[in-house]
Amino acid sequence: NAGVMQNPRHLVRRRGQEARLRCSPMKGHSHVYWYRQLPEEGLKFMVYLQKENIIDESGMPKERFSAEFPKEGPSILRIQQVVRGDSAAYFCASSLDGTGDNQPQHFGDGTRLSIL
Amino acid sequence: AQKITQTQPGMFVQEKEAVTLDCTYDTSDQSYGLFWYKQPSSGEMIFLIYQGSYDEQNATEGRYSLNFQKARKSANLVISASQLGDSAMYFCAMREGISSGSARQLTFGSGTQLTVLP
C-alpha cells in the first residue's frame, strides 16, 4: 500500500495514560501534517513537520501534546495524561512538496482515540 | 471570521441527478489553493479535486467539477450523475500562500453531508 499509513486505527486509553499515534507518509513525501477532527466537525490543523523539524505547531495545544518526525521511522503524535476531551479522530496527511499551492495533501485513514 | 464556509449541513439528491455543494472562502492572499475532500462513513479522507487561484479554467475530475468564481470567493463542487456511493461528508478546504505567513496547512469547512437517494 503506497498510501499514508496510520496506526493504530482505533486506540482506547484511560484518563491519565499516554497515547502514541503513528504515521508513515506516502513514499517520497517528506512533509507531514497532523489534524484533529472532533465529532460532527471539520478537521483542525495541529502541526506541520518535515524530517527532524517542526515547521509550524500553531494548532497544537501547548501542554501534553508533542509531535516528531525523525530521520528514520514514522511521525509520532504523542498525547500525555489524556483527558476525555482528547477523544477525537486524528488524521495524518503528507505531501510531496510543502511549497506548492497545488500540492494535495493525501490523508491516512485516521486514528480514532477514545478516552474512558 | 470563518475562512471556509459551507452553509449546507445536509443535502439530498436523487440518484443520477447533479448536485452542487456550496463553499465560500475568505482570504487576502493572491495565491491560494482550494480543495475538496470526501469522507465516507468509514472515516477516511479522499482527495477529490483542486483549484488554484490563478487557474483560468474550472477544474474537472471525472464526475466532479469545481465552479470557481473568484470575485465572489466561491468554489462550489458539482457532482454530476450522482451515485449511491457518493453519499458521504464533503469538505471544502483552502491552503493560503506564503505571503499570509501560513504554513502549508489546510483550513477546512464544517462539511456537507450528502445523501444520494435511490
Side-chain angles (χ1 to χ4, degrees):
Chain A
N1 187 340
V4 178
M5 301 298 293
Q6 286 189 253
N7 67 82
R9 189 75 193 269
H10 299 275
L11 181 61
V12 180
R13 285 288 177 267
R14 296 189 181 278
R15 281 178 294 170
Q17 290 185 322
E18 178 180 286
R20 280 182 167 241
L21 288 62
R22 293 174 183 75
C23 169
S24 296
M26 282 182 72
K27 190 174 182 179
H29 287 191
S30 59
H31 301 262
V32 166
Y33 310 79
W34 285 93
Y35 294 83
R36 177 164 62 178
Q37 184 180 31
L38 296 172
E40 312 299 326
E41 293 187 11
L43 279 67
K44 297 286 195 294
F45 167 75
M46 298 181 75
V47 62
Y48 162 40
L49 309 104
Q50 295 178 26
K51 285 283 187 183
E52 299 185 281
N53 283 306
I54 297 174
I55 307 302
D56 183 352
E57 55 183 348
S58 59
M60 194 106 93
K62 293 287 183 274
E63 297 179 351
R64 303 189 297 107
F65 285 71
S66 62
E68 62 176 10
F69 189 17
K71 189 175 180 181
E72 302 290 338
S75 175
I76 306 285
L77 179 67
R78 184 179 174 208
I79 311 172
Q80 295 178 293
Q81 298 174 333
V82 295
V83 301
R84 288 251 169 88
D86 297 332
S87 294
Y90 291 83
F91 285 91
C92 170
S94 72
S95 68
L96 181 63
D97 178 351
T99 59
D101 283 313
N102 64 343
Q103 290 294 328
Q105 292 179 12
H106 296 273
F107 283 79
D109 289 345
T111 293
R112 274 96 190 138
L113 175 64
S114 298
I115 309 302
L116 302 179
Chain B
Q2 293 275 15
K3 291 216 169 194
I4 297 284
T5 302
Q6 294 181 253
T7 57
Q8 307 152 313
M11 286 281 286
F12 292 87
V13 65
Q14 208 66 41
E15 195 178 5
K16 299 181 186 175
E17 293 190 348
V19 63
T20 298
L21 306 183
D22 294 342
C23 173
T24 58
Y25 59 91
D26 181 27
T27 182
S28 56
D29 272 4
Q30 297 301 308
S31 174
Y32 51 89
L34 297 155
F35 302 79
W36 278 91
Y37 286 84
K38 172 184 178 182
Q39 186 176 41
S41 57
S42 49
E44 67 269 31
M45 292 289 287
I46 302 166
F47 167 69
L48 295 178
I49 196 167
Y50 163 82
Q51 180 82 44
S53 57
Y54 289 118
D55 293 342
E56 294 186 352
Q57 296 206 342
N58 286 341
T60 60
E61 287 286 347
R63 293 186 298 110
Y64 304 109
S65 60
L66 207 152
N67 183 359
F68 181 47
Q69 298 186 43
K70 194 170 181 177
R72 296 179 59 187
K73 292 190 175 176
S74 74
N76 299 338
L77 177 69
V78 180
I79 305 175
S80 62
S82 297
Q83 302 172 356
L84 295 177
D86 293 334
S87 292
M89 183 73 89
Y90 288 80
F91 291 100
C92 179
M94 175 173 64
R95 170 188 281 157
E96 296 175 271
I98 296 174
S99 60
S100 73
S102 299
R104 299 324 226 160
Q105 68 267 27
L106 297 175
T107 302
F108 284 83
S110 55
T112 295
Q113 179 68 49
L114 176 66
T115 303
V116 180
L117 303 171

